[in-house]
Amino acid sequence: MTSPAESADRADALDVRPITEAETPAWIRALDLGFLRSPGISERELADRAAGIDPRRTLGAFDAGRCVATFRSFPQELTAVGGTVVAADAITNVSVQATHRRRGLLTRMMSQDLAAAKERGDVVATLIAAEYAIYGRYGFGPATWAARWSVDVPRTGLDRRRAVPDDGGRIDLVDGAEIRKLGPELYDRVRRAVPGAIDRPERWWQVATGVLRTRPEWTEPFFAVYRSAAGEVEGMVAYRTDDRWGEAKQPLNTASVLWLLGSTPAAERALWHYLCSIDWVTTVTSGDRAPDDLLPLFLPDPRAARITMRADWMWLRLLDVVRALEARTYEGEGELVLEVLDHAGLTGGRHLLTASPEGGSCVPTSRSADLTLDVADLASLWLGGESAVRLAAAGRVREERAGAARKADALLRTPRRPWCPDIF
Ligand SMILES: CC(=O)SCCNC(=O)CCNC(=O)[C@H](O)C(C)(C)COP(=O)(O)OP(=O)(O)OC[C@H]1O[C@@H](n2cnc3c(N)ncnc32)[C@H](O)[C@@H]1OP(=O)(O)O
C-alpha cells in the first residue's frame, strides 16, 4: 500500500508544465474525462475547442506521457464599481483525473498560474467554482451571485392579448448573423455599466450563434432584438422552446432564456413581456440573472416568478490590493484602515483607504487597523455584493474598532448587486 507521503512524493515527480500545440487534443480529452463528459468527441468539436486554447497559458500534468490534469487561463476584462475595467486572469478548465486527485496537483497548477498572473500585473484572478470548497484556500472569495427564476405565465397578470411593446419600441426576430453584427456593441455598453461583468470576445458570439461548435448538443436558438422608440438597439435575447403539449392538447411550452441583455430597464421589461406573450408558452425560465434582477418587478404579480436557483457565481482572487481598491468608486466619503491577510504572500498588508464617490486612494500605513480580514473576504466585499457587517457577524472579518464593519459597508456596498452574466 502507498502511504499519503509516498503519494505526495509521486505527485511531485509528475511533470506540471504548459502544453505544446500538438498536445492540445490529448489535453481536451483529459479535460472531458475530468469533467465526467462522454469521451467521444467529433473532429469538428475538437478543432473548434482547440482554436480557443492558448497553449502558453494552458497547463497539464503528465504521468508517463499521459495528461492527467488540466488548467487554463486567459486574459479577461472585469468591470469594477464605477465602470473602470481591470485586467483579470480568468481561470477555467480545471480538472484532475479521479486516479490522481488529492495529491496536490491543483495546488501546483494554481500556484504557477497565480504567480504568472502577478508577474504580468493582473489586478485580480477570476473563476466560476464548480464546488464551494475548492478555491477559498487559494485566496478566492465569492464576489458575484446568480439566481434563476421560473415564471408561471398565466399567473403573471399580464394581458395575453398585448403583442407589441407599450413604450413605442419594437421587437424583431433575427438570425445569428444579425446577432453577431449588433450584439458586441450592445454588450460592451451593458458590461461597462455592470460591476462584475466581463468582456465577451468575438469567439463568444461565434459560439453563441453556432459558427463554432464547442458542445455536441448545440441547436440554434431563437434570437430577438429590442429597439427603443428612437430606433436604438437596447436589448437582445436568445431562447429555446421545447414543444411540450398536454394530454388534452393544451400547449405547455417552456421558453428557456439562454441570455438576455438590456442597456435600459425599458429594454429588459419589453423583452420579458415579449417572452410572456408568446402563444403556446406557459413557462419562461430566466437563465442566470443577478440575484436582484428586475424580472419579478416587471410582472403585475411578482409571485408568478419563483426562484429555482440561488448561489455564488464568480469568485475573485485579489492580486494587488492597492490597484484593486484604487480602481473603484465608493458610495460615500471616508477613511478605513484594512489589515489584509494573504498567506500566499501575493498581496495583503495594512492599507489606508481614502474613499469617495469619485474614486479612492490606497497607501500602506502604520496606523492601527479598523478591520482585519483575509484577502478572500476582501474579494467578496470589493465588488459591493457582500456585507462586512454580515461577515463580521459570521466571524470572518474582525472589527478592531467598534462600528468599523458598518463604516466599511457604507463605503463599499453598492445599491445594485454585482453581476457576471457569463460562465467561462
Ligand atoms: C474553475 C473551474 O474549472 S471549476 C472546475 C473544478 N473541477 C472539478 O470540479 C472537476 C472534478 N474535480 C477535480 O478535478 C479535482 O478534484 C479538483 C481539481 C477539484 C481538485 O484537484 P486535486 O489535485 O485533487 O486538488 P489538490 O490535491 O491540489 O487539493 C488541495 C486541497 O484542496 C482540497 N480539495 C480539492 N478538491 C476539493 C473538493 N472538490 N472539495 C473539497 N476539498 C477539495 C484537498 O483536499 C486539499 O486539501 P488539503 O490541502 O487540506 O489537503
Side-chain angles (χ1 to χ4, degrees), residues 158-416:
L158 290 168
D159 181 354
R160 297 280 282 170
R161 290 168 302 177
R162 209 174 47 81
V164 293
D166 56 11
D167 58 4
R170 60 176 292 150
I171 290 176
D172 296 292
L173 285 162
V174 301
D175 62 12
E178 201 158 346
I179 289 293
R180 284 194 299 282
K181 200 167 92 200
L182 301 175
E185 199 273 324
L186 173 69
Y187 181 72
D188 218 51
R189 257 186 295 146
V190 172
R191 63 121 172 168
R192 285 174 193 280
V194 177
I198 55 176
D199 62 313
R200 281 183 181 173
E202 193 188 341
R203 182 178 164 83
W204 189 96
W205 297 98
Q206 293 175 338
V207 171
T209 55
V211 174
L212 293 173
R213 299 288 171 91
T214 56
R215 285 289 173 96
E217 69 275 14
W218 195 84
T219 55
E220 179 151 340
F222 300 100
F223 297 111
V225 170
Y226 166 83
R227 285 183 174 78
S228 67
E232 295 291 325
V233 173
E234 290 186 351
M236 224 169 252
V237 61
Y239 62 95
R240 292 198 175 95
T241 54
D242 61 356
D243 199 23
R244 199 165 81 82
W245 293 76
E247 283 168 357
K249 209 172 173 296
Q250 316 95 321
L252 292 173
N253 278 222
T254 294
S256 305
V257 171
L258 308 177
W259 50 267
L260 182 147
L261 291 176
S263 62
T264 59
E268 289 180 41
R269 176 178 178 274
L271 288 169
W272 289 121
H273 283 187
Y274 160 72
L275 291 158
C276 291
S277 79
I278 303 170
D279 288 339
W280 302 0
V281 168
T282 52
T283 304
V284 173
T285 60
S286 69
D288 298 319
R289 312 294 305 167
D292 61 347
D293 195 88
L294 298 174
L295 164 59
L297 297 182
F298 291 141
L299 308 177
D301 183 350
R303 288 190 203 168
R306 181 173 54 87
I307 289 192
T308 55
M309 189 282 293
R310 199 182 182 95
D312 55 283
W313 192 249
M314 185 172 68
W315 290 52
L316 287 186
R317 206 293 176 202
L318 300 180
L319 296 167
D320 188 328
V321 165
V322 170
R323 283 169 64 214
L325 289 174
E326 290 190 342
R328 61 161 285 179
T329 57
Y330 296 86
E331 286 306 301
E333 305 227 358
E335 287 186 347
L336 200 63
V337 178
L338 300 171
E339 178 80 48
V340 183
L341 310 175
D342 182 1
H343 68 84
L346 290 168
T347 185
R350 191 179 306 168
H351 297 285
L352 167 65
L353 168 68
T354 308
S356 85
E358 283 74 48
S361 88
C362 184
V363 289
T365 184
S366 55
R367 268 167 58 170
S368 56
D370 297 316
L371 279 183
T372 299
L373 73 178
D374 191 83
V375 70
D377 292 312
L378 184 57
S380 293
L381 299 173
W382 179 65
L383 281 175
E386 183 53 278
S387 145
V389 167
R390 214 169 152 253
L391 293 183
R396 299 268 297 273
V397 162
R398 196 169 68 234
E399 274 194 323
E400 309 293 358
R401 198 185 303 278
R406 183 178 275 268
K407 187 171 162 193
D409 279 349
L411 299 177
L412 290 152
R413 282 210 96 178
T414 49
R416 293 289 302 270

Side-chain angles (χ1 to χ4, degrees), residues 34-35 91-97 100-108 127-131 133-135 137-138 424:
F35 276 11
I91 293 171
T92 184
N93 295 170
V94 176
S95 79
V96 173
Q97 250 143 60
H100 287 69
R101 63 198 275 281
R102 306 303 182 266
R103 298 187 204 170
L105 282 176
L106 168 58
T107 301
R108 287 179 61 192
L127 54 80
I128 313 272
E131 292 194 78
I134 304 173
Y135 297 105
R137 74 191 65 245
Y138 306 115
F424 58 91

